[in-house]
Amino acid sequence: MGRSPVSLSRLKLGKLKVVRRQLLQRYEHQPFVSCLAGLYGCQWRRYQRAKAQPGECCCSRLECSCFALLIVTFILTLIFLYFWSEAQNDYNDFDWFNFGNLGFWFPWSVVLLVVAAALFTYIALLLVLAVCLLSEGQRLYLHWSHKIGILVTLTFSISATAVLSDVWSKEWTTLLLSFQVTAPFLHVGGVSLMTLLSWPIALHFFRMNKRVRQVALLSLFLAVLFALYLVPLGMYSPCIKEKGTLGPAPTLFGHRGAPMLAPENTQMSFEKAVESGGEGLETDVTISYDGVPFLMHDSTLRRTTNVHEVFPNRTDAPAATFTWDELEMLSAGSWFLQRDPFGTASSLDADEKVQVQNQTVPTLKEFLNLAAQHERLVIFDLRRPPRGHPYRDTWITRTLEVIHNESSINSSQVLWLPADQRSLVQELDPELQQTSGDPASVEELQEKHIVRLNLHYSYMSQEQIRKYSSVNISTNLYVISQPWLYSLAWCAGVHSVTTNALHVLKKLERPLFLMTPDEYSLMWILTDIVSAFLITAIFIFHWWRERGLPFWSGSRQVNENGPYSKFRTELSDVWSISSISVRGEIRSSPLTPNLPTISEEPPI
C-alpha cells in the first residue's frame, strides 16, 4: 500500500528543511567569529550573537562602558608592568624590606612581577578579542566573569602602584631613567601598534553613516598617530653618541662583595668579587661592644646570621651590643642557602656550599688585608654605636687605628665616606681619598677636599657628572646591577659603580642600545614612513572594498550590492523554494482542503 499524499507532503517538507539548514550553514557557520564571541562573551552559538550593520553602534551603553573600562585597565596594567619590570635592579632591597616588616623571607618582588604579567596578558587578550569582534562587525557582549576580572585587575594595578609609590617612590626615577634607553624602541612599538589598529578603525570609519562620528574617530586616531611620529624630536638618551665619543667603562665595586655568589659581607663574598674582576670592594662597618670593628650592614644580626639560634633572646638587639667573642659564635653563611635571595644558591657546587656554611662574621682588619693583598680600592659606611656604648665617641679614631696600625692596606686605597669629623680625619691621614654622599656645589666639595662622590643611581645626570669631572671629582653610583642601567651609566660618563652583579656586568663589552645620531634618525624616520604608507594603503583598501556594501540612510537600505545582498538573496531563495514546493503539494491533495498554505517569507 503506497503512502498517502499528506505523508508525501510532509516528507518533502522535511527534505526541504534539511536543504535550507545546509544552505544556511554555508553562511552562518563561522568558526572564527564563534571562537571570538565564545571567549569574549561566552556566546558560542550563532543565535546568541547579533551583527552590527554598517552605521550602527557596536554595542549598548553598558557594553560601551565595559569596553572603555577594558582600555583604561589595559593602559594602567601596562604602565605598572613596565614600571615593575624596570625596577628589577632593586628587587633584592624590596624583598629585604618586606623581611624586616613581616619577619620571614619570601620573593615578593618576583611574585608581584608574575601576577602583573599574568593579569596584563589576560587583559590584552580580552582587548584583542574585542577589536577582532568589532572588525567582524559583531556587537560586543562581555561575559560577567570577564567584567569581574577587569575590575580585579584594575583594582590590583591601582593599589599596587599607589603602595609602591608611597613606599618605594624612588622607583619612579628608575622608570624615567629607563626611557633614556628604551624610548627609541618604545616608539617603534607604539607606531607598530597604531598601524595594526588602523585596520579596524578604517573599517568602521567607512561604515559610519554620521559625519560627526567619522570626524571624531579619524581626528583622535590621527592626533595620537602624529604625536607618536613626532615624539623622537623630543627624546634624549646619552647612549645616542657619535662614534669615538664613548668613554671607558665604569670600574666596578663589589657591593658587600659578590652577594649573588656568596653570603654578603663575608670573606668568601669578597674573594668571589676579586675573582669576578671587581676593581673595588664596598662594605659596612660596626664596632663591637669591646671595640672590634666588624662587617655588618644591618643594625641587628637577625637577617644575615643565626643569632636566633645562638642568642634567641637577643635577636633584635643592636649588633654593636655584642662582644667579639659572641660574634665569633655566629654563622654568617647558613642563611644564604636557606633563603637564596638571588636564586643563585643552586649554582654552587658541594664544596662551595660547605664553605658557605662555615662563613663567620669578618673583622674590618681581615677585610682590609684582603683588599691590600689584591690591591683593590675599598669604600665603607661606618655606623656609629648607640648611646651607652664604650666607643660611642671614639668610633672614628678606633677605625683609623685599624687602618693605620692593624692592617697592611695603604691609605690611598681607602675611599673615606663618613662625613663626621672629616676635618680631623684629614689632619690625621691626608692620603685617604675623601668621598662624599652629598651632591653639593663644586665650591663646597672643593673646600672639603672631596675627590669622589658616592651617589644613588637616581642622581644620574650626564650634565652633573661632566661638571664634577671638570674639577677632577669622580662619581660612583650605587647600586647598579642591571645591564641596561649600567649601560646608561657608561654612556653618561660615570667613573665607577657599586654592584651586586659583578660577574654579569664585567662581561659587557659595550653599552646596550648604543647608536649614533644618524642611525637613530634613520630608524625612526624609516619607521614613520613605513607606518604612514601601510596606514594609507589600509584606508584605501577599505574605501575600495566598502564601495559595494549597502548604503544606509537612517535605518533604510537603498542599495543592494555587495556580500550582504548576496546573503539576503540566497536566503530568500531557500524560503521561496520551500514555500512554492510545499504550497503546490498541499493544494494538489484532496485530503487536505483546510490546511493553510505557506505564502509569506520569514523575516531575515
Side-chain angles (χ1 to χ4, degrees):
M1 183 176 180
R3 294 182 179 178
S4 66
V6 176
S7 300
L8 291 174
S9 298
R10 290 176 178 174
L11 179 62
K12 291 182 178 181
L13 180 60
K15 290 181 178 180
L16 287 172
K17 287 182 178 180
V18 172
V19 172
R20 171 182 172 273
R21 187 181 301 111
Q22 292 174 344
L23 288 173
L24 286 177
Q25 286 176 349
R26 173 184 174 184
Y27 297 98
E28 293 190 8
H29 184 58
Q30 300 171 301
F32 177 65
V33 175
S34 297
C35 183
L36 293 176
L39 294 173
Y40 187 80
C42 203
Q43 294 178 324
W44 297 97
R45 299 183 181 277
R46 176 67 181 85
Y47 67 84
Q48 295 176 313
R49 304 192 297 272
K51 193 173 183 67
Q53 295 296 346
E56 293 183 354
C57 183
C58 64
C59 49
S60 65
R61 289 185 178 180
L62 176 62
E63 294 303 323
C64 278
S65 300
C66 290
F67 183 63
L69 188 64
L70 177 61
I71 295 175
V72 171
T73 305
F74 173 81
I75 295 173
L76 293 179
T77 308
L78 175 62
I79 292 173
F80 177 75
L81 178 61
Y82 178 81
F83 161 74
W84 194 239
S85 61
E86 293 301 316
Q88 289 186 44
N89 188 78
D90 300 324
Y91 278 6
N92 187 250
D93 293 340
F94 178 77
D95 290 335
W96 284 126
F97 172 81
N98 288 317
F99 172 84
N101 289 312
L102 302 176
F104 64 92
W105 168 262
F106 190 76
W108 295 105
S109 55
V110 176
V111 172
L112 194 58
L113 180 65
V114 171
V115 171
L119 291 178
F120 172 76
T121 303
Y122 167 66
I123 295 298
L125 287 176
L126 281 182
L127 190 58
V128 170
L129 291 173
V131 172
C132 290
L133 284 171
L134 292 175
S135 300
E136 291 293 327
Q138 297 291 319
R139 286 182 176 274
L140 294 182
Y141 171 75
L142 185 65
H143 194 258
W144 63 267
S145 61
H146 289 321
K147 293 175 182 177
I148 295 176
I150 291 174
L151 291 176
V152 170
T153 304
L154 182 62
T155 302
F156 168 82
S157 300
I158 294 176
S159 302
T161 303
V163 171
L164 290 174
S165 297
D166 182 52
V167 177
W168 225 251
S169 58
K170 282 187 177 181
E171 294 307 320
W172 288 110
T173 305
T174 307
L175 180 70
L176 296 177
L177 287 175
S178 72
F179 287 143
Q180 295 184 19
V181 293
T182 61
F185 305 94
L186 292 176
H187 166 255
V188 174
V191 170
S192 301
L193 179 62
M194 291 299 293
T195 304
L196 292 175
L197 288 177
S198 65
W199 182 274
I201 288 175
L203 173 66
H204 286 276
F205 173 79
F206 287 111
R207 288 190 175 186
M208 286 180 174
N209 61 349
K210 292 185 178 181
R211 182 71 62 181
V212 175
R213 289 183 179 178
Q214 285 184 315
V215 172
L217 178 64
L218 187 62
S219 299
L220 179 61
F221 176 75
L222 291 179
V224 176
L225 182 64
F226 284 121
L228 281 174
Y229 282 170
L230 299 177
V231 158
L233 295 177
M235 284 184 183
Y236 162 76
S237 173
C239 287
I240 300 177
K241 307 174 76 71
E242 295 288 355
K243 288 185 177 179
T245 61
L246 179 67
T251 56
L252 299 174
F253 280 74
H255 184 234
R256 308 171 200 168
M260 288 187 174
L261 306 178
E264 66 177 62
N265 280 336
T266 61
Q267 286 291 99
M268 180 181 180
S269 182
F270 295 114
E271 290 170 358
K272 289 283 187 181
V274 172
E275 292 174 6
S276 299
E279 290 88 350
L281 303 174
E282 186 274 346
T283 189
D284 311 272
V285 178
T286 300
I287 298 180
S288 69
Y289 199 77
D290 51 353
V292 178
F294 65 97
L295 309 188
M296 183 60 57
H297 173 268
D298 298 358
S299 60
T300 70
L301 303 171
R302 183 178 63 160
R303 183 173 66 89
T304 57
T305 71
N306 62 339
V307 65
H308 63 284
E309 298 176 356
V310 182
F311 302 103
N313 297 327
R314 302 173 65 186
T315 300
D316 296 320
T321 60
F322 288 79
T323 64
W324 178 242
D325 289 338
E326 293 172 331
L327 291 169
E328 285 188 304
M329 299 170 60
L330 302 175
S331 168
S334 57
W335 67 273
F336 183 80
L337 298 177
Q338 295 169 0
R339 294 168 186 155
D340 194 10
F342 293 97
T344 54
S346 59
S347 64
L348 301 177
D349 58 35
D351 293 337
E352 288 176 322
K353 289 181 179 179
V354 172
Q355 187 180 358
V356 167
Q357 292 280 8
N358 294 330
Q359 291 301 298
T360 58
V361 178
T363 63
L364 175 61
K365 174 184 175 181
E366 293 170 339
F367 168 73
L368 295 177
N369 286 337
L370 185 146
Q373 177 185 351
H374 297 283
E375 299 181 347
R376 296 299 192 267
L377 296 174
V378 298
I379 182 173
F380 54 84
D381 285 313
L382 183 58
R383 187 182 296 276
R384 187 176 185 181
R387 295 183 183 278
H389 193 284
Y391 291 84
R392 166 76 176 178
D393 299 322
T394 57
W395 54 302
I396 295 290
T397 55
R398 178 68 189 103
T399 304
L400 289 175
E401 286 178 9
V402 174
I403 295 175
H404 297 150
N405 305 325
E406 300 178 20
S407 70
S408 57
I409 197 167
N410 192 308
S411 295
S412 60
Q413 293 178 250
V414 179
L415 307 183
W416 185 263
L417 185 58
D420 298 272
Q421 305 178 30
R422 189 180 294 275
S423 299
L424 173 63
V425 172
Q426 289 178 339
E427 290 180 9
L428 294 176
D429 192 346
E431 292 187 12
L432 293 172
Q433 296 191 42
Q434 294 298 321
T435 306
S436 174
D438 178 24
S441 64
V442 170
E443 294 76 15
E444 186 178 350
L445 295 175
Q446 288 180 321
E447 183 180 349
K448 296 179 180 179
H449 304 286
I450 301 298
V451 297
R452 189 182 296 254
L453 285 173
N454 185 55
L455 305 175
H456 188 267
Y457 71 82
S458 59
Y459 287 98
M460 189 187 307
S461 167
Q462 187 175 24
E463 181 181 355
Q464 289 293 101
I465 292 169
R466 286 177 177 175
K467 183 176 71 173
Y468 291 130
S469 181
S470 65
V471 293
N472 296 321
I473 298 177
S474 58
T475 306
N476 179 73
L477 299 182
Y478 66 91
V479 171
I480 292 178
S481 301
Q482 288 295 309
W484 73 264
L485 198 54
Y486 179 70
S487 299
L488 187 61
W490 188 346
C491 294
V494 173
H495 302 90
S496 61
V497 301
T498 303
T499 180
N500 291 324
L502 271 168
H503 60 297
V504 175
L505 302 186
K506 198 65 178 178
K507 295 178 181 178
L508 287 181
E509 298 180 355
R510 65 190 299 270
L512 304 178
F513 315 112
L514 180 66
M515 65 181 78
T516 65
D518 291 338
E519 291 172 339
Y520 175 56
S521 298
L522 177 63
M523 183 180 76
W524 76 264
I525 292 175
L526 188 61
T527 299
D528 289 356
I529 291 175
V530 172
S531 169
F533 173 78
L534 291 176
I535 290 174
T536 302
I538 289 171
F539 270 80
I540 292 175
F541 170 76
H542 280 291
W543 170 77
W544 170 79
R545 194 183 75 164
E546 297 300 321
R547 284 187 309 169
L549 290 179
F551 175 75
W552 290 73
S553 178
S555 60
R556 184 176 180 181
Q557 188 175 8
V558 297
N559 185 20
E560 292 288 339
N561 296 321
Y564 285 102
S565 60
K566 180 180 178 182
F567 178 78
R568 290 175 59 85
T569 302
E570 297 282 355
L571 193 57
S572 300
D573 291 344
V574 175
W575 284 102
S576 299
I577 294 172
S578 175
S579 61
I580 292 172
S581 301
V582 175
R583 183 166 60 246
E585 290 294 336
I586 293 177
R587 285 178 177 175
S588 64
S589 175
L591 300 178
T592 57
N594 297 324
L595 288 176
T597 60
I598 303 174
S599 59
E600 296 182 357
E601 294 183 10
I604 301 301

